[in-house]
Amino acid sequence: MDVFKVNGNVPLKGEVHVGGAKNAALPILAATLLTEEKVVLRNVPDLSDMRFMLEILRHIGADTIQPEPGVWEITAKEITHIAPYELVRKMRASVCLLGPLVSRLRKAEVSIPGGCVIGPRPIDLHIKGLKKLNCKVDISNGYVHVDASDIKGGPIFLGGRSGSTVTGTANIVMAAVLAPGTTRLECAACEPEVVDLCEMLVKMGAQIEGVGSPELTITGREKLHGCEYSIISDRIEAGTFIIAGAMTRGDVNVKGIAPKLLGAFLDKLEEAGLPMELGADNIRVTPYKGSLKPVDVITLPHPGYPTDLQAQIGALMTQTEGLSIITERIYPHRFMHVPELQRMGAEISIEGPSAIIKGASQLSGAQVMASDLRASAALILAALASKGETWIQRIYHLDRGYERFEKKLTTIGAQIERLSDKDIPKELLQY
Ligand code: EPZ
């Protein structure tokens, strides 16, 4: 298994380019099932989650061709309605196949995704939305069975106890675009990745009003046609590199990202006093002396502070004098990185849904274990700011959502290399 070896305490310097957004590409790949015509997607990131989704599309019957890196041509002429457990279990986001299969075939059988370490991942709102579209939904043997022969548009309130649902909104929008009648979707997610999906659906001929707002009005069409579409940049990858520059007091220019995609995140960093220069399509972190200011962060649905950048700002706050409080309102258990950061010398205590971080601690390199995608990123950020050598195991979690992460970090001066767990020094394994 691959591991990362990181030598920390090196200020990062230079330019890094952001790739396509994983959380836009996943529902957009599923949306290619909505037409029998060819869909050409550009700026598709090369991630294990993408490879899983493409494998499922092929299993369902779609043709997938990669004419060049980052570009995929998908044609779903003849498709079946079943997404099997052995494929879906690898990636829970494959639940967003439900909408397109229901739309295109008027039936679907999709394995219920497993949970994951960040907490339970229910799909009750997805099911509620499908039922509101007059679908018959039955859960048995670990599958969601949908009979959509009488599907029709209607009013849907899709909010749950944590507010809106990102893939739930994607699913219901994709189910509604070919449903006879009009669907008025309230409490729709407004994440940029949902906007990107809607914009592609409109390019395919879908009729959606209110894109980007919590109220969408979808008028069902007979058919959708193919299109060419370029996926938006990954704001979470961009935010991760911005924190990498801040943690090492470096000078890092993150290119290919519009600051408007990171409103709440940049606002919080400004409050912390991080010097940044914002361009139309880039964000530059510049060196600073002394300490940033501690912050109080609560994660919320967009446009609130993104939960996918919670672990990363937590790592930064270990380097910031004073007490910072980070409250996780979307996934209350999303603190798997904390015990590992504590092993590196961070002073953090978990009080219910909040992490209380006492900075500034001098972090020291250690052997740590990644547990989930964004926790892995936080461990690498901490390693970059640590004195000495850090070995990070189970980095397959990271490969799900960051393309060539160590290579991009190396281009801005990080001392990080991808090795095998067999390379971990014996003396380290004694602990
Ligand atoms: C998407 O997950 C993202 N994944 C997640 O990113 C992200 O953390 C999350 O949205 C929140 O922004 C993809 O887009 C592939 P939700 P999703 O449905 O859609 C509750 C990453 O690191 N809920 O918006 O699964 C749920 O428990 C990943 O890139 C219900 O109660 O998240 C949570 O508390 C991790 N019932 C809240 O809503 C439902 O039917 C938000 O979940 C659905 C969700």
Side-chain angles (χ1 to χ4, degrees):
M1 281 231 250
D2 289 357
V3 299
F4 278 156
K5 181 179 123 187
V6 182
N7 276 303
N9 230 10
V10 176
L12 302 184
K13 281 191 175 34
E15 287 188 353
V16 66
H17 286 263
V18 179
K22 166 179 86 80
N23 291 347
L26 287 168
I28 281 174
L29 280 171
T32 62
L33 298 176
L34 287 165
T35 178
E36 56 196 21
E37 297 180 15
K38 183 164 78 173
V39 177
V40 181
L41 299 177
R42 302 183 191 291
N43 202 29
V44 181
D46 181 19
L47 303 166
S48 50
D49 270 10
M50 294 303 116
R51 292 189 282 277
F52 288 147
M53 181 58 95
L54 286 158
E55 189 187 346
I56 299 176
L57 293 184
R58 283 190 286 271
H59 177 89
I60 286 175
D63 281 332
T64 62
I65 297 166
Q66 187 178 29
E68 59 186 273
V71 179
W72 281 94
E73 296 177 357
I74 319 256
T75 312
K77 263 201 173 17
E78 306 278 322
I79 58 171
T80 62
H81 69 289
I82 299 175
Y85 172 72
E86 67 271 12
L87 293 176
V88 170
R89 71 179 175 79
K90 292 181 188 172
M91 184 190 60
R92 60 167 314 287
S94 29
V95 70
C96 62
L97 289 161
L98 265 176
L101 292 174
V102 157
S103 254
R104 182 80 187 276
L105 302 174
R106 296 293 194 257
K107 61 182 176 181
E109 274 183 44
V110 175
S111 167
I112 297 176
C116 66
V117 285
I118 64 175
R121 308 294 291 274
I123 58 168
D124 56 301
L125 297 174
H126 301 235
I127 290 164
K128 173 185 169 185
L130 290 172
K131 285 182 174 171
K132 290 280 184 186
L133 290 174
N134 204 36
C135 297
K136 295 184 193 64
V137 184
D138 162 51
I139 292 194
S140 57
N141 314 106
Y143 278 75
V144 183
H145 305 265
V146 186
D147 169 1
S149 35
D150 300 325
I151 190 170
K152 66 178 186 334
I156 304 174
F157 180 82
L158 206 58
R161 56 187 167 64
S162 307
S164 48
T165 161
V166 171
T167 44
T169 301
N171 252 336
I172 300 312
V173 168
M174 291 192 280
V177 289
L178 295 178
T182 301
T183 296
R184 191 159 169 61
L185 185 51
E186 282 190 73
C187 199
C190 307
E191 275 68 4
E193 295 75 25
V194 174
V195 171
D196 210 35
L197 168 69
C198 290
E199 284 176 356
M200 184 181 99
L201 292 171
V202 166
K203 237 185 143 179
M204 293 171 75
Q207 200 169 330
I208 308 173
E209 286 148 54
V211 174
S213 85
E215 294 194 5
L216 300 175
T217 303
I218 301 152
T219 307
R221 310 301 295 262
E222 279 293 306
K223 267 180 177 287
L224 296 187
H225 50 73
C227 74
E228 294 211 8
Y229 195 77
S230 188
I231 288 159
I232 49 162
S233 301
D234 193 321
R235 61 193 168 109
I236 307 302
E237 182 192 16
T240 306
F241 281 117
I242 290 165
I243 299 261
M247 289 222 30
T248 60
R249 297 171 182 272
D251 185 338
V252 175
N253 190 12
V254 181
K255 302 194 77 171
I257 185 72
K260 68 175 174 6
L261 293 180
L262 281 165
F265 172 74
L266 295 175
D267 179 58
K268 206 38 90 174
L269 291 180
E270 240 171 71
E271 187 187 309
L274 180 68
M276 292 180 282
E277 293 163 13
L278 307 187
D281 201 32
N282 75 298
I283 299 164
R284 181 176 174 187
V285 180
T286 53
Y288 59 92
K289 295 250 181 294
S291 170
L292 297 176
K293 299 186 206 72
V295 292
D296 177 359
V297 175
I298 298 180
T299 65
L300 290 168
H302 194 77
Y305 188 94
T307 173
D308 293 349
L309 282 168
Q310 178 259 105
Q312 296 91 322
I313 199 167
L316 175 60
M317 289 301 123
T318 66
Q319 302 303 290
T320 304
E321 276 162 24
L323 276 185
S324 290
I325 303 176
I326 298 187
T327 302
E328 176 54 66
R329 286 270 179 258
I330 309 293
Y331 300 113
H333 307 291
R334 199 173 195 172
F335 291 118
M336 305 295 289
H337 51 292
V338 168
E340 300 303 303
L341 292 179
Q342 287 165 333
R343 300 189 61 242
M344 299 172 78
E347 289 189 65
I348 306 175
S349 64
I350 301 291
E351 303 294 331
S354 300
I356 298 168
I357 303 168
K358 184 177 178 304
S361 14
Q362 175 47 62
L363 299 178
S364 58
Q367 240 208 103
V368 291
M369 196 79 83
S371 57
D372 61 274
L373 172 52
R374 307 304 174 183
S376 328
L379 297 185
I380 292 167
L381 295 172
L384 292 171
S386 297
K387 272 198 168 55
E389 205 171 81
T390 300
W391 291 78
I392 302 165
Q393 298 183 62
R394 298 188 187 167
I395 53 164
Y396 56 84
H397 290 290
L398 193 98
D399 292 333
R400 288 188 44 219
Y402 291 93
E403 184 179 345
R404 297 181 303 108
F405 196 54
E406 75 279 12
K407 292 199 173 33
K408 291 188 177 184
L409 282 170
T410 308
T411 59
I412 50 178
Q415 292 178 13
I416 178 170
E417 51 183 323
R418 184 183 288 255
L419 298 168
S420 149
D421 50 7
K422 294 177 184 50
D423 298 312
I424 298 176
K426 299 277 172 296
E427 59 276 18
L428 276 183
L429 291 172
Q430 283 160 11
Y431 293 129

